[in-house]
Amino acid sequence: MVMEMLPGFLFAFLGFLALTALLVHAQDPSDFISIDCGLAANTSYTDAATGLNYISDASLIETGISKSVATASGSTSFDRQLWYVRSFPHGDRHCYNVTITKGNKYLMRARFMYGNYDGQNVLPEFDLHLGPNKWVSVKILNASNPVDKEIIHVPTWNYVYVCVVNTGYGTPFVSALEIRPLKNDSYVTQSGSLVYFTRLDIGSYTNQTVR
């Protein structure tokens, strides 16, 4: 009876805590897929802030060009995986082909930071697709603020296509793709994927981001 009277936001918060516990305590970082889009081919690095290894996207996509946000903005104070982007000035649809495991559950995150990498100072809008289906629209509102889009997805094949689609409102680009395995009994749904709505950190004494 008491649980039935709890407000909806508390259930959302409990769900967030459960997801945090899954990511922090139950996952082996060696299973993480961390892709720095636009990084030079055949290169990788260990991120100093997280200890996670990031690889270049060059072997996962055949189109697009690499651009440096750090050079354009004159700063490297933001996350290292945002220093470069892969930009797609030509064509309408461009897809990453990422190998994963059929039937497993994943948290997928795409990151975007414009940083005026092209010197045009035009904030773009474009769509993000998972395979043939629209995931979400991406709208860049501030050149210096990264935009993150997340989805929980169970693939039906041993690969997934993450695609950016030009909608006529500026050049699409991607800064990073991050894929994290989840336990298959977390966030059980009858069908379909779960798109990120909000994440809350209640009671924190600092302004630091919790990964």
Side-chain angles (χ1 to χ4, degrees):
M1 178 65 69
V2 175
M3 289 298 294
E4 292 176 356
M5 296 176 63
L6 289 175
F9 78 86
L10 182 54
F11 285 108
F13 173 59
L14 293 175
F16 162 68
L17 291 180
L19 177 58
T20 301
L22 284 169
L23 291 176
V24 174
H25 298 295
Q27 298 302 313
D28 180 358
S30 64
D31 293 332
F32 290 1
I33 300 174
S34 304
I35 304 166
D36 189 331
C37 303
L39 188 68
N42 302 315
T43 61
S44 64
Y45 62 86
T46 299
D47 183 70
T50 64
L52 299 177
N53 186 61
Y54 280 79
I55 63 172
S56 168
D57 65 337
S59 65
L60 305 175
I61 194 166
E62 298 179 352
T63 57
I65 56 177
S66 174
K67 290 287 188 176
S68 172
V69 173
T71 299
S73 64
S75 173
T76 57
S77 60
F78 37 86
D79 295 344
R80 181 170 177 178
Q81 57 268 31
L82 304 178
W83 290 5
Y84 293 93
V85 305
R86 182 167 294 274
S87 173
F88 303 97
H90 307 293
D92 295 329
R93 180 181 175 90
H94 305 268
C95 297
Y96 285 90
N97 185 349
V98 184
T99 299
I100 51 181
T101 302
K102 174 184 176 180
N104 283 2
K105 186 168 291 183
Y106 293 92
L107 171 68
M108 301 182 180
R109 178 188 298 118
R111 308 196 69 193
F112 310 87
M113 180 165 154
Y114 174 56
N116 197 28
Y117 71 86
D118 55 3
Q120 301 298 312
N121 201 31
V122 176
L123 302 178
E125 299 178 34
F126 49 91
D127 284 349
L128 186 63
H129 285 203
L130 203 57
N133 302 313
K134 182 179 176 179
W135 169 356
V136 71
S137 292
V138 178
K139 185 174 184 178
I140 308 300
L141 299 176
N142 187 305
S144 301
N145 291 341
V147 173
D148 295 348
K149 299 297 182 180
E150 295 182 3
I151 192 170
I152 293 176
H153 178 68
V154 179
T156 55
W157 304 95
N158 287 322
Y159 58 87
V160 64
Y161 287 112
V162 180
C163 309
V164 291
V165 178
N166 192 323
T167 57
Y169 296 98
T171 300
F173 71 94
V174 186
S175 299
L177 295 175
E178 300 170 340
I179 301 177
R180 312 292 186 238
L182 299 175
K183 285 187 174 181
N184 283 348
D185 58 0
S186 62
Y187 289 89
V188 177
T189 62
Q190 294 298 315
S191 63
S193 302
L194 295 176
V195 176
Y196 167 84
F197 174 66
T198 188
R199 180 175 289 111
L200 303 174
D201 183 4
I202 299 175
S204 174
Y205 291 99
T206 72
N207 291 322
Q208 295 183 342
T209 299
V210 177
R211 294 184 63 90

